[in-house]
């Protein structure tokens, strides 16, 4: 397999960057080719591409060609992506660590817990000292560096706060693919394909806690400004959608055009179905 070749066939060498919970894995690309080969490849393989690192992202760089430095989040050789495709698995990331990008050093399990399984964060990890007599040395936290970094509104969104949660108001976190799936499934299940431009459906979605920490405004914006384009390019990110369901979602977003009479008939049919479902639930 010639990884960087123009003949590289993603269909034949498919590999998805998500974990067992169908959460997309996050990457920050400190380096890429002029034609954005890695960015394009990762996007087509279910990965999330971020502008700045967060507590569950992996920074990828080119050894010898990076000025990246972070107290807690090291960078890894971008060759890691190539080897994932070659072995169809996630190799030991410690072998790809670019040492001069961070004073922190972690075990394979620590990195996987943080980046792959997402049950820890970089700010939680304790660095392994190269001095055997000081194996428990703690690298000072760089949480402030993360929180002060410039965030892109396209990739991050506000999370709601309740009194019993540790998540603070105005904390910004990237949408996971699992959250996007929940939004799409909710719309299909409740026959809301033609209600996505309004407000009522999204407010109900918030009350139903479809995305636990998201506001209805946030979910609506994510759907009409991001998920819309995934639906327009096909259903590869939502393989559970039937062709008919995909067509309905695209019609509701005015991506796919049909004559007004047919569209009104479809809206009427879905309204009747929703009223029938509501009557069934109340009986």
């Amino acid at each position: 397999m010639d990884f960087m070749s123009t003949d590289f066939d993603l269909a034949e060498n498919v590999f998805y960057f998500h974990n067992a919970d169908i959460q997309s894995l996050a990457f920050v690309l400190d380096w890429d080719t002029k034609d954005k080969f890695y960015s394009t490849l990762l996007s087509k393989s279910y990965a999330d591409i971020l502008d700045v690192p967060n507590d569950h992202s992996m920074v990828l760089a080119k050894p010898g060609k990076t000025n990246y430095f972070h107290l807690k989040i090291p960078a890894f050789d971008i060759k890691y992506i190539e080897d994932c495709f070659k072995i169809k698995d996630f190799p030991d990331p410690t072998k790809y660590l670019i040492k001069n990008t961070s004073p922190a050093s972690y075990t394979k399990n620590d990195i996987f817990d943080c980046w792959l399984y997402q049950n820890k964060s970089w700010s939680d990890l304790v660095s392994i000292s190269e001095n055997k007599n000081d194996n428990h040395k703690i690298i000072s936290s760089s949480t402030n560096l993360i929180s002060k970094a410039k965030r892109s509104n396209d990739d991050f969104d506000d999370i709601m706060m309740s009194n019993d949660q540790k998540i603070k108001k105005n904390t910004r976190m990237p949408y996971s693919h699992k959250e996007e799936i929940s939004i799409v499934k909710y719309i299909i299940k409740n026959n809301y394909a033609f209600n996505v431009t309004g407000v009522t459906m999204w407010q109900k979605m918030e009350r139903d806690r479809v995305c636990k920490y998201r506001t209805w405004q946030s979910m609506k914006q994510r759907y009409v400004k991001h998920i819309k384009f995934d639906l327009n390019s096909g259903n590869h990110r939502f393989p559970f959608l039937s062709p008919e369901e995909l067509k309905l979602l695209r019609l509701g977003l005015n991506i796919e055009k049909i004559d007004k009479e047919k569209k009104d008939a479809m809206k009427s049919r879905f309204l009747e179905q929703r009223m029938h479902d509501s009557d069934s639930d109340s009986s």
Side-chain angles (χ1 to χ4, degrees):
M1 175 178 64
D2 188 355
F3 190 70
M4 297 290 292
S5 168
T6 54
D7 296 328
F8 178 77
D9 190 339
L10 184 59
E12 292 183 2
N13 299 284
V14 64
F15 184 78
Y16 295 131
F17 288 94
H18 61 66
N19 58 25
D21 294 325
I22 319 298
Q23 293 174 306
S24 294
L25 302 181
F27 294 93
V28 175
L29 295 180
D30 180 70
W31 180 89
D32 202 350
T33 62
K34 289 183 179 179
D35 59 355
K36 304 295 182 183
F37 175 83
Y38 286 98
S39 178
T40 302
L41 180 66
L42 288 169
S43 295
K44 289 181 178 180
S45 303
Y46 286 83
D48 283 335
I49 309 298
L50 309 181
D51 291 328
V52 293
N54 67 17
D55 265 339
H56 300 295
S57 61
M58 174 182 280
V59 178
L60 298 172
K62 188 83 167 177
K65 294 186 177 181
T66 180
N67 293 318
Y68 171 85
F69 181 84
H70 198 290
L71 289 175
K72 290 284 286 185
I73 307 177
F76 299 84
D77 190 338
I78 200 164
K79 191 177 183 296
Y80 186 78
I81 301 303
E82 178 178 349
D83 290 346
C84 286
F85 277 91
K86 284 182 177 179
I87 69 172
K88 298 293 188 291
D89 201 355
F90 299 109
D92 181 355
T94 61
K95 297 178 180 179
Y96 301 80
L97 182 68
I98 304 176
K99 292 187 177 180
N100 63 351
T101 59
S102 178
S105 181
Y106 307 114
T107 67
K108 170 186 173 181
N109 289 339
D110 275 342
I111 297 169
F112 277 160
D113 281 342
C114 175
W115 169 68
L116 180 59
Y117 306 124
Q118 300 180 21
N119 52 24
K120 290 184 180 179
S121 63
W122 290 112
S123 55
D124 294 331
L125 300 185
V126 177
S127 178
I128 302 171
S129 173
E130 292 184 1
N131 184 345
K132 294 182 180 180
N133 296 321
D134 191 21
N135 285 334
H136 298 290
K137 181 180 179 182
I138 300 176
I139 300 297
S140 60
S141 172
S142 61
T143 304
N144 289 337
L145 291 179
I146 298 175
S147 62
K148 291 180 181 179
K150 181 180 179 182
R151 306 288 184 163
S152 166
N153 286 333
D154 288 340
D155 291 325
F156 294 82
D157 223 318
D158 290 338
I159 294 179
M160 295 189 301
M161 178 190 72
S162 63
N163 292 332
D164 60 342
Q165 292 165 348
K166 294 182 180 179
I167 299 176
K168 296 181 179 180
K169 191 175 183 179
N170 293 328
T171 298
R172 291 176 177 265
M173 288 288 286
Y175 265 84
S176 68
H177 188 50
K178 187 176 181 179
E179 287 179 304
E180 293 181 331
I181 287 175
S182 296
I183 291 172
V184 172
K185 284 187 173 180
Y186 183 90
I187 292 171
I188 287 295
K189 179 182 177 181
N190 294 282
N191 297 316
Y192 281 137
F194 295 103
N195 298 85
V196 296
T197 57
V199 170
T200 304
M201 182 271 289
W202 296 105
Q203 291 175 335
K204 185 176 186 301
M205 188 181 289
E206 181 181 318
R207 290 195 299 272
D208 290 343
R209 299 171 70 81
V210 173
C211 295
K212 188 175 180 180
Y213 302 117
R214 308 289 183 179
T215 64
W216 68 264
Q217 296 97 328
S218 167
M219 291 186 288
K220 179 179 179 180
Q221 183 180 52
R222 188 68 185 180
Y223 186 77
V224 300
K225 290 189 176 182
H226 294 267
I227 296 175
K228 171 181 180 177
F229 295 102
D230 290 324
L231 297 172
N232 190 34
S233 62
N235 67 343
H236 68 282
R237 281 182 64 82
F238 306 102
F240 55 87
L241 290 174
S242 68
E244 293 77 14
E245 290 170 337
L246 180 60
K247 182 176 182 178
L248 285 172
L249 293 177
R250 293 173 65 172
L251 285 170
L253 288 163
N254 291 318
I255 297 172
E256 192 162 324
K257 302 293 184 181
I258 58 173
D259 64 67
K260 186 176 184 302
E261 185 177 339
K262 287 184 179 179
K263 189 170 184 178
D264 288 343
M266 292 181 72
K267 285 184 178 180
S268 177
R269 187 167 70 251
F270 274 92
L271 179 59
E272 290 175 4
Q273 181 63 45
R274 191 156 64 244
M275 292 176 66
H276 177 269
D277 292 342
S278 178
D279 291 340
S280 299
D281 291 339
S282 60
S283 61

